[in-house]
Amino acid sequence: MKKLSKLIAIFLIMLSVLPFTSCSKDKKVTLNVYNWGDYIDESVISEFENKYGIKVNYETFATNEDMYVKIKAGGTAFDVAIPSDYMISKMIKEGMLEKIDFSNVPNYKFIDERFKGLDFDPNNEYSVPYMWGVVGIVYNKKMVSDPVDSWDILWNEKYKKQILMLDSQRESIGVALQKLGYSLNTTDKDKLEQAKEELIKQKPLVLAYVGDEIKDKMISGEAALAIAWAGDAVFMKQQNPDLEFAVPKEGSNLFVDCMVIPKTSKHKKEAEMFINFMCETEIAKKNTEYIGYSTPHKEAYKLLDEETRNDKTAYPDEDVLSRCEVYKDLSDMLKEYDRIWTEVKAAK
Ligand code: SPD
């Protein structure tokens, strides 16, 4: 009996020291990172893993709304996410984001002041800008004979079934609102209803509502016109010189996508290490060159080749920027946007 209790005691001691033995020495932290599709040079992820001995579980989303739903559901404990302006505002209001300890993100100093203190994070507490850009129309010069300077062209019968719209409610409803001369942040129900009617009227002309597939379809000449984020337009123009990009005279959207730490994070320190790493000059340059979007990183920008720095698609002049609006969080009105978008998508 004595022998048995001695054995049990040894077994219990072994169990208690197990977590501190070799097994745990090899156990790596896994960081869950959630980003837009086609929005990173993936070699950067391996560089981070090798440098810090942290494993990255990398997942992608297609719209801010998809990202929000998944983080809210809490199925995956995301440590870093990269939403846009208005969605960051919404997540802050709903208590979904951690405040960042900026003493762990010294490379934040490289971010251009123009992208700090913006409405969605006025005191720079929750977000670190990653990329920015404007929305416009990418078009094929060989297929489009009319001037491309107004959103109206996306309603021109001549281009029936040659038009691509973004499968993203803020972008598509925003374009319809600006076509009508309204702000893309309107919360006026009557104006929103008019925008819905415009989108329904346009539907027979639309070849497809797309996300990242827009690039293949425009590069291959399958479509003539598309709403596009400028960074994607940079990439498309490189692949097909017949493509051009324009920001309509009625105005457009300026977006800022930022790195944030959701409250679901179990590894806040490592999340801050990741964000800081993404702000290393060489890493920011690598991502910018790879994806084609506009960098808010002052030093990375200086290292880009002259042609890229002077590309007006990625870095538009002040006259273009001055007619662009940043999306605001529309709080309860978002339900209206959801309803309108559902009705547009369901319309025959
Ligand atoms: N490949 C998709 C990259 C998306 C960039 N962000 C878009 C901002 C939307 N407001």
Side-chain angles (χ1 to χ4, degrees):
M1 193 62 191
K2 249 189 181 172
K3 250 189 186 165
L4 185 65
S5 45
K6 208 173 168 185
L7 270 177
I8 292 172
I10 291 171
F11 179 68
L12 286 177
I13 290 167
M14 277 173 71
L15 267 188
S16 68
V17 298
L18 210 55
F20 305 105
T21 59
S22 57
C23 264
S24 70
K25 250 194 274 160
D26 299 336
K27 201 165 178 247
K28 284 184 180 178
V29 165
T30 297
L31 207 60
N32 292 312
V33 176
Y34 202 23
N35 191 6
W36 293 84
D38 291 353
Y39 216 33
I40 199 167
D41 176 338
E42 293 206 11
S43 71
V44 157
I45 299 174
S46 331
E47 272 187 61
F48 174 79
E49 290 180 321
N50 295 336
K51 182 166 177 181
Y52 292 102
I54 293 170
K55 189 180 159 12
V56 173
N57 168 39
Y58 186 75
E59 288 185 43
T60 61
F61 57 86
T63 67
N64 279 300
E65 287 67 28
D66 291 351
M67 179 238 36
Y68 169 84
V69 169
K70 189 152 177 179
I71 293 189
K72 193 91 180 173
T76 307
F78 286 108
D79 299 293
V80 177
I82 310 194
S84 311
D85 34 63
Y86 70 98
M87 193 48 81
I88 294 170
S89 194
K90 180 176 169 66
M91 293 170 91
I92 293 173
K93 281 185 210 159
E94 294 182 19
M96 290 171 70
L97 300 183
E98 287 284 352
K99 283 192 180 176
I100 295 173
D101 179 350
F102 282 88
S103 65
N104 294 328
V105 189
N107 293 332
Y108 183 63
K109 64 176 181 279
F110 295 129
I111 302 298
D112 193 323
E113 294 304 314
R114 287 189 296 151
F115 300 98
K116 293 182 181 171
L118 297 176
D119 282 355
F120 57 87
D121 185 10
N123 303 318
N124 305 313
E125 295 170 299
Y126 297 92
S127 60
V128 173
Y130 174 59
M131 295 285 161
W132 68 278
V134 294
V135 172
I137 300 174
V138 65
Y139 62 99
N140 189 314
K141 292 178 275 185
K142 291 210 167 123
M143 297 166 81
V144 178
S145 46
D146 301 279
V148 181
D149 60 357
S150 162
W151 293 118
D152 284 341
I153 198 154
L154 301 178
W155 274 257
N156 188 329
E157 295 274 341
K158 200 155 121 190
Y159 304 108
K160 188 168 181 174
K161 293 292 173 207
Q162 295 180 58
I163 296 168
L164 297 172
M165 291 293 280
L166 277 173
D167 192 3
S168 170
Q169 55 174 264
R170 280 309 289 265
E171 273 75 17
S172 291
I173 297 173
V175 163
L177 285 167
Q178 288 193 311
K179 173 185 186 288
L180 292 164
Y182 304 139
S183 161
L184 47 68
N185 285 312
T186 194
T187 52
D188 180 306
K189 284 195 175 173
D190 180 51
K191 291 176 180 166
L192 284 168
E193 213 45 37
Q194 292 174 44
K196 182 186 92 179
E197 291 309 323
E198 282 296 317
L199 291 169
I200 292 176
K201 192 166 86 191
Q202 181 207 31
K203 216 173 163 191
L205 312 182
V206 175
L207 174 67
Y209 296 88
V210 288
D212 283 331
E213 320 88 271
I214 181 189
K215 290 182 283 227
D216 285 347
K217 290 194 187 298
M218 288 306 294
I219 292 166
S220 66
E222 208 180 308
L225 295 142
I227 307 183
W229 293 303
D232 287 345
V234 168
F235 175 79
M236 290 184 256
K237 288 199 307 176
Q238 282 163 1
Q239 306 299 313
N240 182 347
D242 295 336
L243 299 178
E244 197 41 271
F245 180 75
V247 178
K249 58 182 180 225
E250 297 90 351
S252 188
N253 163 243
L254 185 151
F255 61 85
V256 188
D257 297 332
C258 303
M259 295 176 278
V260 298
I261 304 180
K263 274 265 162 71
T264 50
S265 174
K266 293 198 171 82
H267 307 290
K268 185 164 183 270
K269 262 230 154 67
E270 288 81 359
E272 287 164 347
M273 282 159 79
F274 182 83
I275 293 173
N276 193 50
F277 178 76
M278 293 283 272
C279 292
E280 280 182 15
T281 301
E282 278 305 320
I283 297 299
K285 173 178 175 266
K286 212 174 192 183
N287 278 328
T288 307
E289 285 176 340
Y290 188 83
I291 65 176
Y293 277 70
S294 322
T295 181
H297 192 294
K298 292 177 288 190
E299 298 306 311
Y301 174 78
K302 286 184 202 155
L303 297 178
L304 300 175
D305 63 51
E306 205 182 333
E307 197 186 332
T308 310
R309 278 185 281 120
N310 293 331
D311 184 345
K312 298 294 175 212
T313 298
Y315 300 97
D317 286 334
E318 206 37 56
D319 69 305
V320 171
L321 294 178
S322 65
R323 54 178 199 270
C324 290
E325 295 174 84
V326 178
Y327 295 129
K328 291 194 170 84
D329 169 39
L330 303 174
S331 305
D332 285 349
M333 280 310 282
L334 263 192
K335 285 191 207 112
E336 273 299 289
Y337 274 71
D338 280 344
R339 178 188 63 78
I340 288 173
W341 191 233
T342 308
E343 287 182 28
V344 170
K345 295 293 288 294
K348 292 278 171 245

